[in-house]
Amino acid sequence: MRDLLPTLTEWFGEKKAFAVALVTAVEGSSPQRPGAMFVRGPDGEALGGISGGCLDATLYELAGEVLADGRAQVVRFDSGSDDLFEPGLLCGGSMEVLVRRVDPGTDEAFAAALASLARGAAVTLALTVGSVHPERLGSALVITPESVSGTLGAEEWDRECLRRRAAGDSGVLNLKNDSDGKTSFFLHEISAPPRMLLYGAVDFARALSQIGAFLGYHVTVCDARAVFAIPERFPYAHEIVVDRPARHLSDARTDRDTVVISLTHDPKFDIPLLCEALRRPLAYVGAIGSRRTCAERSRSLIAAGVTERQLARLRAPVGLDLGGRGPEETALSIAAEVVAVRHGRPATPLRAGTGPLHAEAAPACGPLDRPLSMRV
């Protein structure tokens, strides 16, 4: 949803209805994870994708039906069969998808989600994906840092999803009560964009800021030299700061998803910056430089009080060995290492392995019961 935000916001402003297909459950191999989205627009536009192509045409038609009649559907796709006319996942897994219509004039929950995403904040979606009351299918509750909007159709379900969210639950929740029987909800958090902090307003930072923004990071470029830290040099950065790197990082909000990369080439900036970074619980800390420069830097960091354990977290020379040169190819090698570290992968060629291409995350609350979904 964050990737599609500009277009969805435009349709909301124009009061144009559209249909959303949202992955709610995945089993086995799949090109996307729960939360992936496909949208059919008011004039037939197709945005996003959830299957890598093998199901998008089918979902496009289903979204058209939902857009026309307003009745939400939950559909299940399994691996392809011998029937050429039966849609299926070619990767061998299975996927369940909620398709619902969004009406800008009345959909309070979706409006709240878009507004919070536009501010860069996190959003939690709770959606009904199975109910004995067909009219409740697709009903939505949206939780933002400032408010709770919409309803799942009953106050007790709203309260229960708020409680489950506070407990850290996610995925499909199968709940029961005496009056409604079994009801299933999809609870999913769209987190705030992770941060990428680039220190040193150099050509490598320009290329890396573009790739970082493409990967969904909120990118900050910081340099003590005002003549270099200017918007014209970094059109893809979300924020450009003139400050000493270590001082900026000491005041910055960081978390376990934050990436910090030093591109300064200058020990008077590098050493205090990396001392600060390596003492924080960050996702990735890297520094550019030759092997000789990196060895000298490591000795200086130890002398400055960095422990051997902290130093082991430093990626220097930064990036994977792709053999490239120049800012763009160097930025690609750095970004590739960031992705590999983020997912805990060794960055070996896929053809050299034998296991699944994607690490499978166990569902937090169990899979969706089969009778609650229908198969296309």
Side-chain angles (χ1 to χ4, degrees):
M1 188 185 295
R2 195 180 294 281
D3 293 338
L4 306 179
L5 183 61
T7 302
L8 301 185
T9 300
E10 179 181 342
W11 289 340
F12 250 76
E14 296 172 351
K15 306 297 183 185
K16 293 182 177 179
F18 52 93
V20 170
L22 189 71
V23 177
T24 59
V26 167
E27 293 178 3
S29 181
S30 170
Q32 292 280 19
R33 302 180 65 180
M37 179 180 290
F38 173 84
V39 176
R40 176 164 175 161
D43 298 315
E45 304 91 335
L47 302 177
I50 66 173
S51 69
C54 54
L55 299 179
D56 291 345
T58 300
L59 283 170
Y60 182 81
E61 297 302 322
L62 287 173
E65 295 175 11
V66 171
L67 189 57
D69 63 27
R71 293 197 295 268
Q73 298 185 41
V74 174
V75 295
R76 176 179 173 83
F77 299 100
D78 292 307
S79 57
S81 69
D82 294 332
D83 187 347
L84 296 178
F85 299 99
E86 181 181 3
L89 284 170
L90 300 180
C91 52
S94 61
M95 175 187 294
E96 294 193 352
V97 181
L98 168 68
V99 187
R100 73 185 291 267
R101 176 183 166 113
V102 176
D103 290 288
T106 59
D107 202 322
E108 174 190 356
F110 211 94
L114 290 182
S116 189
L117 291 173
R119 294 191 298 272
V123 171
T124 300
L125 303 176
L127 297 155
T128 305
V129 293
S131 175
V132 296
H133 302 285
E135 71 278 3
R136 292 185 182 176
L137 195 65
S139 59
L141 183 76
V142 169
I143 307 160
T144 74
E146 296 83 18
S147 64
V148 177
S149 303
T151 181
L152 296 169
E155 288 187 10
E156 61 184 301
W157 296 137
D158 295 347
R159 289 194 300 270
E160 180 62 15
C161 280
L162 284 167
R163 187 184 71 80
R164 293 295 190 96
R165 182 251 190 179
D169 289 346
S170 63
V172 175
L173 316 179
N174 294 307
L175 309 176
K176 291 183 180 180
N177 69 4
D178 293 335
S179 59
D180 292 333
K182 182 156 50 181
T183 302
S184 297
F185 306 103
F186 174 59
L187 191 63
H188 174 67
E189 181 177 358
I190 305 173
S191 58
R195 303 192 70 193
M196 177 178 285
L197 307 179
L198 305 178
Y199 293 98
V202 296
D203 283 348
F204 297 107
R206 176 189 53 77
L208 191 53
S209 66
Q210 182 175 1
I211 297 179
F214 174 76
L215 292 175
Y217 286 89
H218 182 280
V219 180
T220 298
V221 175
C222 175
D223 198 299
R225 304 166 300 175
V227 68
F228 293 106
I230 57 175
E232 291 78 8
R233 286 171 54 84
F234 302 96
Y236 296 96
H238 299 90
E239 182 183 25
I240 300 172
V241 178
V242 178
D243 199 354
R244 293 182 69 86
R247 183 167 57 195
H248 175 267
L249 181 58
S250 67
D251 293 334
R253 173 185 57 82
T254 62
D255 55 32
R256 294 184 182 275
D257 292 324
T258 301
V259 170
V260 170
I261 302 173
S262 177
L263 304 165
T264 65
H265 292 281
D266 191 333
K268 70 175 179 290
F269 294 126
D270 266 350
I271 301 305
L273 169 66
L274 294 174
C275 284
E276 176 70 26
L278 292 171
R279 291 168 182 151
R280 294 187 174 215
L282 305 175
Y284 180 98
V285 181
I288 203 167
S290 67
R291 294 194 185 280
R292 177 178 177 180
T293 296
C294 291
E296 292 176 353
R297 182 194 293 126
S298 294
R299 290 190 288 269
S300 297
L301 288 170
I302 293 294
V306 172
T307 68
E308 292 284 354
R309 185 174 181 179
Q310 291 170 336
L311 186 62
R313 297 176 49 225
L314 178 61
R315 303 277 172 166
V318 68
L320 300 182
D321 184 6
L322 304 183
R325 292 178 176 272
E328 290 75 18
E329 291 183 338
T330 300
L332 177 62
S333 76
I334 297 171
E337 187 177 46
V338 169
V339 172
V341 170
R342 181 178 183 180
H343 295 284
R345 290 299 183 112
T348 54
L350 289 174
R351 68 177 183 177
T354 58
L357 297 183
H358 304 284
E360 296 183 25
C365 306
L368 182 65
D369 287 351
R370 295 298 164 257
L372 293 176
S373 62
M374 71 176 190
R375 182 174 178 175
V376 178

